[in-house]
Amino acid sequence: MKANENNNNDLDEQSVLKTRMKKIKHKIAIISGKGGVGKTLTAVNLAISFALQGHKNRVGLLDADLHGPCVPKMLGMDEQKLRVGPVGAFPAVGPLGLKVVSMVFVLEGPEVPVVWRGPIKMRAIQQFLTDIVWGELDFLFIDLPPGTGDEPLSVMKLLPELDGVVIVTIPSEVSQNVVEKAITFSKQLNVPIIGIVENMSGFICPTCSNETQIFKTGGGQRVAEKHSVPFLGRIPIDPRICEASDRGHPFILENPDSPAANAFAQIVDKIKKYIQNKEKP
Amino acid sequence: MKANENNNNDLDEQSVLKTRMKKIKHKIAIISGKGGVGKTLTAVNLAISFALQGHKNRVGLLDADLHGPCVPKMLGMDEQKLRVGPVGAFPAVGPLGLKVVSMVFVLEGPEVPVVWRGPIKMRAIQQFLTDIVWGELDFLFIDLPPGTGDEPLSVMKLLPELDGVVIVTIPSEVSQNVVEKAITFSKQLNVPIIGIVENMSGFICPTCSNETQIFKTGGGQRVAEKHSVPFLGRIPIDPRICEASDRGHPFILENPDSPAANAFAQIVDKIKKYIQNKEKP
C-alpha cells in the first residue's frame, strides 16, 4: 500500500514536472569541471544578455549550486525570499524581470551551510523544477556546481529535453584536464555541448595597459579543438567584474563597452545561432 | 547471516582504518566553500613546506577531490599509478618523498570523468584511507573538494581525530558568504578551525609594479575576525604560480624568495604553532 502511494506520488510529480517544463522553450545548463572558473558569472551575464535582447520577463535562472549559491549576491537579490502560494512557490524577480531560484532564498542566513549528501540534493533539485511556478519562459539557464556528481546528474536526468550545456573553464593547464572530464561527462550522457567559454583569459594592467597572462591563454580553445567542440569565446580578467558582482550589479549592464562585455556579446550570438539551427525543421 | 557478515566486514574495515590512521601523527584537511580559490595550491605547497622543514618522506597528501583531482598535475605526477601489493595499495611518491593518493592514479585517462553519486564517493574515500598503505607519517594533508557535501562529511566522519581544517578563500565578497558556510559547517561538526588563508589577494603588474586588487583584498581577514577564527595569511596573485603548477613544479620550491612563498612560510609557522600548542600537556 505504502509502496503504491509512493509510486503514485512519483507519477504525480513527474507529470507536474513535465507540465511546468513544457512552458519553458529552451533550457541551457552552465557546467564546469573545476570550481571558481566563473561559471556563475557566465550564467548571470548570459541570462541578463538574453533578457536584454528581446526576452525581458521571459528568462529564468536556477542556481543549482546547493552548497555555494552565488547567483543572488551577484544580482543584488540576497535579501529576497521565495513567495509561496497555493500552487507552489514563485521565483524571486531580479533585473529585467529575471526569475531566479536559489538555496539562498530558502536558507535562514548567508552563513548557514547546506550539509546534505547526494540523495537529498537530487530531491532538492527536483523540487526546484517541480514545485516552483516558473511560468511561461523563453529561456531557463541552470547554474550547476563544479564537477560531475549528484547535481549535474540530477539535472540531466530530470531534463532530458535540455538544449545543451555551456562549459566554462580558465586557460591554465591544470584546468584543462578537468574540463575534459566535463566534456566526456556530457558526451556519455548524450547532452549536446553548445560550446566552451574561456574565462580569466589575460589581464590588462589598468595603469600601464600591459597584458599579463595570469592563468595563461588559449587553453579553452585548444581543448575545444581537440574534442571537436565549438569554442564560444574568451573573457579577459577585469577587476570591475569582481567589483560589480560584489555590489550585485550585472557586469555587462554597468560596463557595456568593455572588452569583457564584448566577449559576452559574441558568446550570446553563438548560443543564439545554435538555438536557431536546432529549431530549423 | 548476510547482515552479520556485512557487520563483520564493517568492523574489520573500521579496525584496519584505525590501525592505519594511528601511524599518522597529524591530519589536516584543506577545505573551502567555493571552488577555484586555490585549495589544491595551498594543500600542495603546505605538504611540500612541511616535507622541506624536517619531515622529508614523512608527509602524505590525499587528493579527496574525486571529480576534479588536480594534485598530481601540480606535482608533475600525473603519469603515475598506485602500486598494489598483498597488504593494500601504496601511495605514489612525489618530490621530497611526498606520499600522494589521487583518483588520477586510478582512472584510465585524464579525460575520464568520475560520474558518481554521494554514497559511492563516501565508499571511495573510505578505501583511500583504509586500503592504502600510508605507513608511518608525521602529517597527512587532505585536499577536499569545494562545498559542504559528501566528501567533506565523509572525511570528518571517518577521521574524528582530525587536528583541524585550513579554510581557503579569495577576498571577493561573493566568496565571503560561501566561506562563512564552511566555518559554520566545521563548527557544527566540532572540527577545529586552524585558520583562514586568503588567496589571490592583489596582483602586482610585472611591467609597472602597480598593484591591482583584481578580487579586492582583506575579505578573508574580515570573515576571520567576524567569526573569531585565526587568520593565517594572504597569498598574492603571481602568474608564476599558474605557470609552475602547470609544469608540475611546486611553486615554493621554484620561487622560494617570492612574496607568495613568504606568505606560505608564515602560514606554515602558524600551523606549526597550532600543532605545538595542541601537543602541550
Side-chain angles (χ1 to χ4, degrees):
Chain A
M1 196 52 190
K2 195 75 199 291
N4 267 339
E5 264 172 35
N6 279 344
N7 277 343
N8 284 340
N9 281 344
D10 282 358
L11 282 177
D12 281 357
E13 270 200 6
Q14 277 172 34
S15 75
V16 175
L17 175 71
K18 268 196 186 157
T19 313
R20 296 245 198 257
M21 289 299 117
K22 248 189 203 158
K23 293 184 184 162
I24 304 176
K25 282 187 206 152
H26 297 290
K27 293 147 199 122
I28 295 172
I30 322 292
I31 68 170
S32 75
K34 203 177 161 319
V37 295
K39 205 174 23 61
T40 304
L41 177 85
T42 305
V44 163
N45 283 284
L46 285 183
I48 289 288
S49 298
F50 277 85
L52 262 179
Q53 297 177 29
H55 303 281
K56 199 177 164 182
N57 300 318
R58 296 187 63 85
V59 177
L61 177 52
L62 170 60
D63 184 358
D65 190 339
L66 306 174
H67 296 301
C70 290
V71 166
K73 175 89 190 168
M74 282 198 194
L75 286 165
M77 297 171 68
D78 34 352
E79 300 294 323
Q80 293 204 36
K81 294 276 164 207
L82 297 182
R83 282 179 305 116
V84 181
V87 288
F90 290 84
V93 180
L96 299 163
L98 197 66
K99 295 185 175 163
V100 183
V101 170
S102 169
M103 275 307 292
V104 171
F105 303 150
V106 181
L107 295 175
E108 274 173 38
E111 75 290 350
V112 178
V114 172
V115 187
W116 288 348
R117 288 187 181 271
I120 309 182
K121 292 196 260 188
M122 165 87 176
R123 188 83 200 114
I125 288 179
Q126 183 157 18
Q127 287 187 1
F128 277 161
L129 294 169
T130 310
D131 299 347
I132 300 279
V133 188
W134 288 98
E136 304 256 348
L137 295 178
D138 294 335
F139 289 93
L140 175 64
F141 292 94
I142 303 167
D143 180 25
L144 283 164
T148 50
D150 293 88
E151 297 89 331
L153 267 174
S154 303
V155 165
M156 316 261 166
K157 201 189 148 200
L158 293 167
L159 297 179
E161 76 271 30
L162 204 68
D163 288 83
V165 293
V166 171
I167 302 178
V168 184
T169 185
I170 61 168
S172 77
E173 266 175 54
V174 169
S175 305
Q176 295 324 298
N177 283 352
V178 189
V179 81
E180 292 192 74
K181 287 185 202 294
I183 295 173
T184 313
F185 173 76
S186 308
K187 287 184 175 173
Q188 280 180 355
L189 295 173
N190 287 317
V191 178
I193 298 170
I194 302 177
I196 292 181
V197 170
E198 179 178 306
N199 187 32
M200 304 196 202
S201 185
F203 170 68
I204 294 161
C205 174
T207 311
C208 71
S209 297
N210 260 294
E211 189 168 359
T212 308
Q213 302 301 343
I214 294 181
F215 302 105
K216 301 196 182 172
T217 190
Q221 186 150 18
R222 273 195 302 279
V223 168
E225 282 164 10
K226 181 176 164 192
H227 292 271
S228 307
V229 166
F231 182 67
L232 298 178
R234 190 172 284 141
I235 303 165
I237 298 174
D238 186 329
R240 290 172 298 180
I241 291 179
C242 174
E243 208 242 316
S245 301
D246 275 0
R247 277 187 292 108
H249 292 240
F251 172 77
I252 56 158
L253 288 183
E254 282 211 339
N255 305 280
D257 300 320
S258 61
N262 285 333
F264 268 116
Q266 285 172 29
I267 293 165
V268 168
D269 280 349
K270 287 186 183 166
I271 297 175
K272 282 193 164 170
K273 276 190 193 130
Y274 172 89
I275 297 284
Q276 282 161 6
N277 281 334
K278 253 197 101 188
E279 280 180 334
K280 271 184 197 159
Chain B
M1 197 50 190
K2 195 78 199 289
N4 266 340
E5 265 172 33
N6 279 343
N7 277 344
N8 284 341
N9 282 343
D10 282 358
L11 281 178
D12 280 357
E13 270 199 8
Q14 277 172 33
S15 75
V16 174
L17 175 70
K18 268 196 188 159
T19 313
R20 295 246 198 256
M21 289 298 118
K22 247 189 205 157
K23 293 184 183 161
I24 304 176
K25 282 189 203 150
H26 297 289
K27 293 146 198 124
I28 295 172
I30 322 293
I31 67 170
S32 75
K34 202 177 162 322
V37 295
K39 205 173 23 59
T40 304
L41 175 85
T42 304
V44 163
N45 283 284
L46 285 183
I48 290 288
S49 297
F50 277 85
L52 261 180
Q53 297 177 28
H55 304 280
K56 199 175 162 182
N57 299 320
R58 297 188 61 86
V59 178
L61 176 52
L62 170 59
D63 184 359
D65 190 340
L66 307 174
H67 296 301
C70 290
V71 166
K73 176 88 190 169
M74 281 198 195
L75 286 166
M77 298 171 67
D78 34 352
E79 300 294 322
Q80 293 204 34
K81 295 276 163 207
L82 297 181
R83 281 180 305 117
V84 181
V87 288
F90 291 84
V93 179
L96 300 163
L98 197 65
K99 294 186 175 163
V100 183
V101 170
S102 168
M103 276 306 292
V104 171
F105 303 150
V106 180
L107 295 175
E108 274 174 38
E111 75 291 350
V112 178
V114 172
V115 188
W116 287 349
R117 290 187 180 272
I120 309 181
K121 291 196 261 189
M122 165 85 176
R123 189 80 200 115
I125 288 179
Q126 183 158 17
Q127 288 188 0
F128 278 161
L129 294 170
T130 311
D131 299 347
I132 300 279
V133 187
W134 288 97
E136 304 256 348
L137 295 179
D138 294 335
F139 289 93
L140 175 65
F141 292 93
I142 304 167
D143 181 25
L144 282 164
T148 49
D150 294 88
E151 295 90 332
L153 268 173
S154 303
V155 166
M156 316 262 164
K157 201 189 146 200
L158 293 167
L159 297 179
E161 76 272 28
L162 204 68
D163 288 83
V165 292
V166 170
I167 303 178
V168 184
T169 185
I170 61 168
S172 77
E173 268 176 51
V174 169
S175 305
Q176 295 324 299
N177 284 352
V178 190
V179 81
E180 292 192 75
K181 287 184 203 295
I183 295 173
T184 313
F185 173 77
S186 308
K187 287 185 176 173
Q188 280 179 356
L189 295 172
N190 286 318
V191 178
I193 298 170
I194 301 177
I196 293 180
V197 170
E198 179 178 307
N199 187 31
M200 304 196 201
S201 185
F203 170 68
I204 294 161
C205 175
T207 312
C208 71
S209 298
N210 260 293
E211 190 168 359
T212 308
Q213 302 301 343
I214 294 181
F215 301 106
K216 300 196 182 172
T217 191
Q221 186 150 18
R222 274 195 302 279
V223 169
E225 281 164 10
K226 182 175 163 192
H227 292 271
S228 307
V229 165
F231 182 67
L232 298 178
R234 192 173 282 140
I235 303 165
I237 298 172
D238 186 329
R240 290 173 298 181
I241 292 179
C242 175
E243 209 242 316
S245 302
D246 275 359
R247 278 187 291 109
H249 292 240
F251 173 78
I252 57 158
L253 288 184
E254 283 212 338
N255 304 280
D257 299 320
S258 61
N262 286 333
F264 268 115
Q266 285 172 31
I267 293 166
V268 168
D269 281 347
K270 287 186 183 166
I271 296 175
K272 283 194 163 168
K273 276 190 193 129
Y274 171 90
I275 297 283
Q276 282 161 5
N277 281 333
K278 253 197 100 187
E279 280 180 335
K280 270 185 197 157

